Amino acid sequence: MAADELSECVQDFYQNLSDRLHTQFKGSSDQVESVMDEVEKYMMTRLYKEVFCPETTDDEKKDLAIQKRIRALHWVTIEMLCVPVDEEIAEVSDSVVKAITDVIEMDSKCVPKEKLRCITRCSKHIFKAIKISKKEAASADDFLPTLIYIVLKANPPRLQSNIQYITRFSNPSRLMTGEDGYYFTNLCCAVAFIEKLDGQSLNLSSEEFELYMSGQASPNWPQSTGASSSSPGSAALSQVHKRLDLLTGLGERQELVMEKARQLENDLIDWTDEVEQKVQSVLESFPPETQNPTATTAGETASAAAASSAIDSDNVENEHLPPPLQPQVFAG
């Protein structure tokens, strides 16, 4: 079955079961919700391997595309997104780290409700970070840019697959109402924004945006000439961009080394072929003798015998040697 057909079957089952619990069993809203949560947990735990990122969809392709896109946007900063968060405050930095951890943890869960809880916890950490930074309650206009920033920093694994899985197999009442549904909708908006992000969205020219995306350049940050620019955050950003430029140079050097290695390999192959041709040419210029093997062997035997006689004839001094000792027997 296709993913849409599987989703339709599951959603029909949810709806029919919910109707029966309300009408036949006369359950209260809380009781029905509790039962539906357990049913969803049991079903999707059993079906997870078959219905998460199925082969009949392009979910995996979308995962790779958004992951590559987020990696290319590594240079985007808080200032560009107008995020009202001050990470130099320890408590704010801690909340940002927790938000990143929660959105990454979403991929480790099997049940749609548990994945939604990860998104909700991430969002609450974001609201906390904004409130501490601004010293006032966060608004929706503050929340979405910060969520975009968190997603860019986290680059969650299989992001599109998780979104599609929740959309297809979560209890529909949970997505249409409540805070889980609200935060999930904002996550979908954040991903859509990242996919369509351009220079105008970041107050950059098209040329600057393309240079940053291709890695040919990085944003020029102010030098440490003033009190504000000498802050730890500015120094850290400066170090990051210096290292990015260094990595770009290393990448170019690696490509050059690989090109030289391939050229050397081709030269070795050509040299080997040339040596083999020369050896073959030498062997062909000295053909093997076509003599009778038997005659050759007999001639070699006669030559060896003559040489042995000649050697013995030269040892004339042997005639003056004393006779060999004979064994003697003594009577006891």
Side-chain angles (χ1 to χ4, degrees), residues 23 31 55 63-64 71 90 93 97 114 134 146 156 164 170 172 200 204 216 239 277 308 314 319 321:
T23 57
Q31 290 175 330
E55 296 181 356
D63 287 335
L64 297 175
R71 283 201 301 267
S93 179
V97 171
E114 294 176 355
K134 295 184 64 177
T146 310
Q164 293 298 327
S170 179
Q200 186 177 0
L204 297 172
Q216 298 178 19
Q239 289 295 326
Q277 292 176 1
S308 177
D314 292 339
E319 298 176 358
L321 292 176

Side-chain angles (χ1 to χ4, degrees), residues 155-170:
N155 197 358
R158 301 192 293 184
L159 181 56
Q160 288 286 9
S161 290
N162 280 289
I163 290 176
Q164 293 298 327
Y165 176 74
I166 293 171
T167 303
R168 291 168 184 154
F169 302 109
S170 179

Side-chain angles (χ1 to χ4, degrees), residues 231-247:
S231 62
S234 299
L237 287 173
S238 178
Q239 289 295 326
V240 167
H241 289 284
K242 287 181 180 178
R243 291 174 182 176
L244 288 175
D245 293 338
L246 179 61
L247 286 174

Side-chain angles (χ1 to χ4, degrees), residues 224-284:
S224 55
T225 56
S228 59
S229 62
S230 61
S231 62
S234 299
L237 287 173
S238 178
Q239 289 295 326
V240 167
H241 289 284
K242 287 181 180 178
R243 291 174 182 176
L244 288 175
D245 293 338
L246 179 61
L247 286 174
T248 301
L250 290 175
E252 295 175 355
R253 291 175 60 186
Q254 182 182 10
E255 291 179 1
L256 180 61
V257 169
M258 293 301 296
E259 181 180 355
K260 294 293 185 182
R262 287 190 291 267
Q263 182 179 353
L264 177 60
E265 182 181 6
N266 294 331
D267 292 343
L268 286 174
I269 293 174
D270 295 340
W271 178 79
T272 302
D273 294 340
E274 184 179 353
V275 169
E276 289 181 353
Q277 292 176 1
K278 289 184 177 180
V279 170
Q280 186 66 29
S281 176
V282 170
L283 292 177
E284 291 176 354

Side-chain angles (χ1 to χ4, degrees), residues 35-300:
V35 172
M36 292 301 297
D37 287 346
E38 295 301 322
V39 169
E40 180 191 82
K41 181 178 180 180
Y42 175 78
M43 284 180 54
M44 301 320 300
T45 300
R46 295 289 300 272
L47 297 174
Y48 182 75
K49 292 183 179 179
E50 285 74 24
V51 300
F52 183 86
C53 191
E55 296 181 356
T56 57
T57 66
D58 59 351
D59 292 351
E60 185 176 1
K61 182 179 179 180
K62 291 180 179 178
D63 287 335
L64 297 175
I66 190 64
Q67 191 175 51
K68 181 179 179 180
R69 174 75 172 175
I70 291 175
R71 283 201 301 267
L73 292 167
H74 63 84
W75 47 270
V76 177
T77 63
I78 286 180
E79 292 80 9
M80 292 179 177
L81 293 171
C82 300
V83 176
V85 168
D86 185 2
E87 289 190 273
E88 294 185 6
I89 301 175
E91 194 172 358
V92 173
S93 179
D94 184 59
S95 295
V96 169
V97 171
K98 289 180 179 178
I100 293 173
T101 303
D102 285 329
V103 75
I104 291 175
E105 187 181 357
M106 173 178 61
D107 186 59
S108 65
K109 306 298 182 181
C110 295
V111 182
K113 181 181 178 180
E114 294 176 355
K115 291 182 181 291
L116 287 170
R117 282 178 177 174
C118 292
I119 299 172
T120 300
R121 289 197 303 270
C122 168
S123 302
K124 289 184 176 180
H125 287 307
I126 290 174
F127 274 109
K128 181 180 178 181
I130 296 173
K131 184 177 180 180
I132 296 173
S133 300
K134 295 184 64 177
K135 296 180 174 58
E136 62 182 25
S139 65
D141 293 335
D142 297 328
F143 171 69
L144 185 57
T146 310
L147 179 59
I148 294 170
Y149 176 68
I150 293 297
V151 173
L152 287 175
K153 291 195 70 173
N155 197 358
R158 301 192 293 184
L159 181 56
Q160 288 286 9
S161 290
N162 280 289
I163 290 176
Q164 293 298 327
Y165 176 74
I166 293 171
T167 303
R168 291 168 184 154
F169 302 109
S170 179
N171 188 343
S173 62
R174 188 178 297 112
L175 294 182
M176 291 185 291
T177 59
E179 61 179 6
D180 287 349
Y182 172 76
Y183 294 135
F184 177 70
T185 301
N186 276 271
L187 177 62
C188 295
C189 292
V191 174
F193 179 85
I194 291 172
E195 290 177 331
K196 298 179 181 179
L197 185 64
D198 56 13
Q200 186 177 0
S201 305
L202 302 173
N203 295 320
L204 297 172
S205 65
S206 300
E207 292 77 11
E208 288 178 316
F209 182 80
E210 291 301 327
L211 285 174
Y212 298 157
M213 288 294 291
S214 63
Q216 298 178 19
S218 60
N220 294 320
W221 302 104
Q223 301 297 324
S224 55
T225 56
S228 59
S229 62
S230 61
S231 62
S234 299
L237 287 173
S238 178
Q239 289 295 326
V240 167
H241 289 284
K242 287 181 180 178
R243 291 174 182 176
L244 288 175
D245 293 338
L246 179 61
L247 286 174
T248 301
L250 290 175
E252 295 175 355
R253 291 175 60 186
Q254 182 182 10
E255 291 179 1
L256 180 61
V257 169
M258 293 301 296
E259 181 180 355
K260 294 293 185 182
R262 287 190 291 267
Q263 182 179 353
L264 177 60
E265 182 181 6
N266 294 331
D267 292 343
L268 286 174
I269 293 174
D270 295 340
W271 178 79
T272 302
D273 294 340
E274 184 179 353
V275 169
E276 289 181 353
Q277 292 176 1
K278 289 184 177 180
V279 170
Q280 186 66 29
S281 176
V282 170
L283 292 177
E284 291 176 354
S285 63
F286 295 98
E289 298 180 0
T290 57
Q291 297 180 359
N292 187 348
T294 304
T296 302
T297 303
E300 291 176 351

